Amino acid sequence: MAKTFRPARAKPESPPPAAAVPKPAARNRVKLPPTLSVKELAELLELTSIEVIKQLMRNGIMAGINQVIDFNTAGLIATDLGFKVEALVASSKVEQAKKKKQPSPEEDSETLVPRPPVVTIMGHVDHGKTSLLDAIRKTHVTETEAGNITQHIGAYQVMVNDKKVTFLDTPGHEAFTAMRARGARVTDLAILVVAADDGVMPQTIEAINHVKAAEVPIMVALNKTDMPTANADRVKQQLGEQGLVIEEWGGDVVCVPVSAKTGEGVSDLLDNLLVVTEMEDLKGNPLRPAVGTVIEARLDKTRGPIATALIQNGTLKAGDTVVVGETWGRVKAMFNDARERVQSAGPADPVEILGLATVPRAGDTLTAVANERQAKERLEEHRTVQDQLLADARRAMNLEELYSQIKEGITKDLNIVLKTDVQGTIDPLKNSLENLSTEQVNVRIIHYGSGSITESDVMLALASKGVIIGFNVRPEPGARTMADRERVDIRHYDVIYRMVEAVAKALKGMLEPVYRDVLEGHARVKAVFSTGKKTRVAGVMVTDGRAVRNALARVNRGGEVVVESSVTSLKRFKDDVSEVSTGVEAGVGIEGYNDFEPDDIIEFYRRERSD
């Protein structure tokens, strides 16, 4: 069910009348009006606002105390919390007449108008994504863009059969999923580009799994069909193995052959795009205050903080006061994708915004408010709620917490990102884990592959509220740092039955607490020195974090761990030191290890019990 996001209203000067927020007659039954704020819903359910917000977040909805939600969303939350829901009917014909005479622009369906679809193009780096984007821009730019087709703001609009289509040019599926992880669904359709001469590659599979996790419809652009080595049937079979069954093979995924190089098939692709998105019945309300999502942001030396935002509903106007994540400001100027100054932006329009106090994050929600006072109130509420919910909001699934969440009905799926050392072990591991599914919980492998655990794996687990299981592999330094920051659960195993046993115990609530590795820092070996007949130390440069004496340590070479031990010595010149910070050189000795090589990466960490 689609979830409706609405901007917060100003706090009322006086409490709402009793009729607007009635108290439930019984604990298990509640009557809900067509719309109400999160605070009003909490009062109806006789719960704290924090409890209601937590339940909203479990359903993928990020909302503040004063944010307005519709009946369907409120009903879903109330049902999840054990209430029977009824629609609140106006108490008299007079009240009904008043509502008809004074419809709210946010609630009256007559104010909804069709809006352009928002499309993201994804795929393997060498399969023609950039070429396809260029082909679309060159052949379908609007008149105002003629001769100036280079997109400047990470998004652009084209005209297809007199209809606008908005394309997002995100850096990759990691950014796509990062926005989803923060509660933002900005894309109506994803187009997966696959080269007909190369087929489905690991990055293709990764992109597919990221789109599935975001629950976004998907189309396939079969590129390079004009190449002599193209084999469309083989690619279609590979797609089917990943769960994308195309229409001509009895599935529901539209697949269009194209050549980004010659432009052949691009028009057919766009025509099919319109057909697919028309089925979604995409609408927006240009009369309401603007709500949008930050696509990217940066600090310009001369113009200050600049945010590229996609307006998802309402209309943003120059001069509007906006709250964006943890910052706010007054819109001093707006520019479209052709770098033209504009005075307003409606649903599905991408714009570059000047006037924010600080640089927001990609995925932050933009909300237009009435004035500066209301903006500061919204920010204060946001900070208060975030302080109380930070761990709960950012944490993905934790195996220790799994059983209690199953019992409370919070989750019915255990989403797993599975990474192994070699391709051959994937299928037996995948089958062993999926066979653990029960009536209470379904074990889903949302992504799998061979190689070390990457930041993309961590972001996918975060967005899907899943865990990462590594079999004979370790995280890359950046992935380890991100996992610690975002509290994503990474489990390492080297024996199949121990892995299966651990997950089975988690499902049954029998899993014993485990210890987690907390990263201290990394250092790169620059040289190796002998300090005795049988001892050698590594001359290192600390690349991030810190090197700590007596810490646990791993030596990584070419992405593989060659030894796990502990730090026996840490020196600056001839002096023993307790720690060395980023950018500083030092000498490091590892217990029982002498076979250092230049460019080895030493990972320093400590072990603590998981909460």
Side-chain angles (χ1 to χ4, degrees):
M1 181 183 70
K3 300 173 178 62
T4 302
F5 296 83
R6 303 188 184 278
R9 294 173 174 172
K11 288 185 176 180
E13 298 299 328
S14 58
V21 188
K23 294 288 181 181
R27 177 67 177 170
N28 65 342
R29 188 177 298 276
V30 62
K31 292 184 178 181
L32 299 177
T35 61
L36 73 170
S37 70
V38 172
K39 181 179 180 181
E40 290 170 343
L41 177 60
E43 292 173 354
L44 277 171
L45 302 181
E46 297 181 350
L47 300 171
T48 66
S49 297
I50 298 300
E51 289 176 293
V52 173
I53 291 173
K54 281 186 177 182
Q55 193 62 37
L56 283 162
M57 296 174 85
R58 292 179 184 121
N59 283 275
I61 304 170
M62 308 296 286
I65 294 174
N66 288 331
Q67 190 156 336
V68 176
I69 56 178
D70 61 14
F71 173 83
N72 290 334
T73 303
L76 172 66
I77 300 307
T79 302
D80 287 348
L81 292 170
F83 290 84
K84 293 181 180 178
V85 176
E86 295 180 5
L88 177 63
V89 181
S91 58
S92 70
K93 292 183 179 180
V94 175
E95 289 182 13
Q96 292 178 6
K98 287 182 179 178
K99 289 183 179 180
K100 288 181 180 179
K101 287 181 180 179
Q102 299 177 340
S104 166
E106 298 181 12
E107 300 164 11
D108 188 1
S109 60
E110 293 181 3
T111 61
L112 296 177
V113 297
R115 66 165 175 82
V118 181
V119 181
T120 300
I121 297 183
M122 307 173 72
H124 187 71
V125 66
D126 296 325
H127 283 193
K129 171 193 164 186
T130 302
S131 299
L132 182 59
L133 287 167
D134 288 342
I136 292 171
R137 284 202 296 266
K138 290 175 182 176
T139 56
H140 289 82
V141 293
T142 61
E143 290 182 5
T144 57
E145 294 169 333
N148 185 25
I149 60 176
T150 303
Q151 61 90 17
H152 301 281
I153 65 171
Y156 62 92
Q157 288 185 325
V158 301
M159 295 296 293
V160 182
N161 298 338
D162 297 324
K163 294 182 179 179
K164 281 185 180 180
V165 178
T166 300
F167 286 90
L168 298 185
D169 191 13
T170 58
H173 41 258
E174 294 91 344
F176 178 88
T177 305
M179 288 185 283
R180 177 59 187 152
R182 297 188 183 108
R185 174 174 170 169
V186 297
T187 304
D188 301 311
L189 176 70
I191 294 181
L192 179 71
V193 180
V194 187
D197 62 338
D198 204 10
V200 173
M201 303 295 286
Q203 283 188 346
T204 314
I205 297 173
E206 206 168 58
I208 291 171
N209 291 329
H210 278 259
V211 174
K212 286 180 178 178
E215 299 177 348
V216 171
I218 189 168
M219 276 178 58
V220 174
L222 194 58
N223 194 26
K224 303 184 182 180
T225 51
D226 53 338
M227 297 292 288
T229 54
N231 188 338
D233 287 340
R234 177 176 66 92
V235 177
K236 293 172 183 177
Q237 180 179 346
Q238 292 173 335
L239 290 170
E241 292 170 358
Q242 300 302 321
L244 296 184
V245 183
I246 65 171
E247 284 183 330
E248 63 185 87
W249 285 20
D252 56 3
V253 177
V254 176
C255 179
V256 182
V258 299
S259 171
K261 185 176 181 180
T262 65
E264 183 180 355
V266 172
S267 293
D268 290 340
L269 177 71
L270 296 176
D271 288 341
N272 277 277
L273 180 157
L274 289 179
V275 171
V276 172
T277 54
E278 280 175 4
M279 296 172 63
E280 297 290 312
D281 192 27
L282 304 171
K283 291 185 177 180
N285 180 359
L287 301 182
R288 61 168 287 173
V291 177
T293 297
V294 175
I295 305 301
E296 59 185 27
R298 69 186 191 277
L299 181 63
D300 187 276
K301 290 182 179 179
T302 58
R303 299 191 293 172
I306 297 177
T308 297
L310 177 75
I311 306 305
Q312 294 169 277
N313 208 356
T315 297
L316 183 67
K317 301 172 184 176
D320 281 354
T321 302
V322 293
V323 176
V324 186
E326 297 181 359
T327 188
W328 73 284
R330 185 172 176 269
V331 179
K332 294 180 180 177
M334 290 191 295
F335 299 88
N336 63 14
D337 54 317
R339 214 171 241 176
E340 299 169 334
R341 189 161 185 160
V342 294
Q343 294 301 310
S344 64
D349 284 345
V351 283
E352 195 174 70
I353 298 170
L354 279 66
L356 298 178
T358 58
V359 179
R361 300 183 306 168
D364 278 348
T365 298
L366 176 149
T367 305
V369 294
N371 48 46
E372 180 179 336
R373 179 183 62 81
Q374 191 177 131
K376 291 181 177 179
E377 287 177 355
R378 287 290 305 276
L379 281 176
E380 188 60 36
E381 290 167 4
H382 175 81
R383 288 166 184 152
T384 301
V385 172
Q386 287 301 108
D387 287 344
Q388 297 183 59
L389 300 178
L390 184 60
D392 187 64
R394 294 171 64 186
R395 180 177 295 182
M397 178 68 71
N398 183 295
L399 281 184
E400 276 81 17
E401 301 169 351
L402 176 62
Y403 182 67
S404 61
Q405 293 195 24
I406 296 171
K407 285 185 65 178
E408 294 173 12
I410 296 172
T411 184
K412 294 183 179 178
D413 291 316
L414 171 58
N415 295 324
I416 295 176
V417 174
L418 176 64
K419 297 302 287 286
T420 68
D421 53 347
V422 293
Q423 196 75 18
T425 59
I426 290 177
D427 284 341
L429 291 174
K430 184 171 175 286
N431 293 335
S432 297
L433 290 170
E434 289 176 338
N435 288 336
L436 295 175
S437 296
T438 65
E439 292 183 1
Q440 288 75 33
V441 63
N442 179 39
V443 179
R444 298 173 58 224
I445 310 299
I446 59 173
H447 177 63
Y448 56 85
S450 59
S452 57
I453 297 166
T454 66
E455 291 184 29
S456 176
D457 298 323
V458 175
M459 190 55 69
L460 182 56
L462 177 64
S464 306
K465 297 194 181 297
V467 302
I468 299 174
I469 291 181
F471 189 79
N472 283 330
V473 295
R474 309 296 303 186
E476 294 177 353
R480 179 75 269 174
T481 302
M482 179 182 287
D484 288 343
R485 184 178 68 247
E486 303 291 354
R487 305 290 292 174
V488 172
D489 195 6
I490 300 180
R491 299 300 174 104
H492 305 282
Y493 301 97
D494 52 14
V495 179
I496 292 181
Y497 84 84
R498 287 179 181 166
M499 176 194 71
V500 175
E501 184 180 60
V503 177
K505 284 184 176 180
L507 296 175
K508 297 175 183 177
M510 298 165 55
L511 190 65
E512 297 178 0
V514 299
Y515 289 86
R516 59 189 291 266
D517 295 343
V518 179
L519 180 68
E520 296 283 4
H522 293 91
R524 181 180 297 276
V525 176
K526 299 181 67 178
V528 183
F529 305 99
S530 296
T531 58
K533 290 183 179 180
K534 296 183 179 180
T535 58
R536 302 172 81 196
V537 298
V540 305
M541 169 70 79
V542 180
T543 55
D544 64 84
R546 59 179 186 161
V548 182
R549 188 175 61 193
N550 298 326
L552 297 173
R554 297 187 186 94
V555 179
N556 296 272
R557 183 176 301 150
E560 296 184 0
V561 177
V562 295
V563 69
E564 293 192 48
S565 186
S566 60
V567 178
T568 56
S569 65
L570 183 65
K571 292 191 175 186
R572 281 279 293 152
F573 303 106
K574 294 183 179 181
D575 298 327
D576 289 319
V577 293
S578 58
E579 66 178 62
V580 178
S581 57
T582 302
V584 178
E585 295 182 342
V588 177
I590 301 294
E591 175 71 31
Y593 188 71
N594 292 313
D595 298 328
F596 298 105
E597 292 183 7
D599 291 328
D600 283 350
I601 300 297
I602 302 177
E603 180 178 278
F604 304 90
Y605 66 100
R606 70 180 188 275
R607 190 160 287 162
E608 64 180 30
R609 181 167 170 166
S610 296
D611 296 331

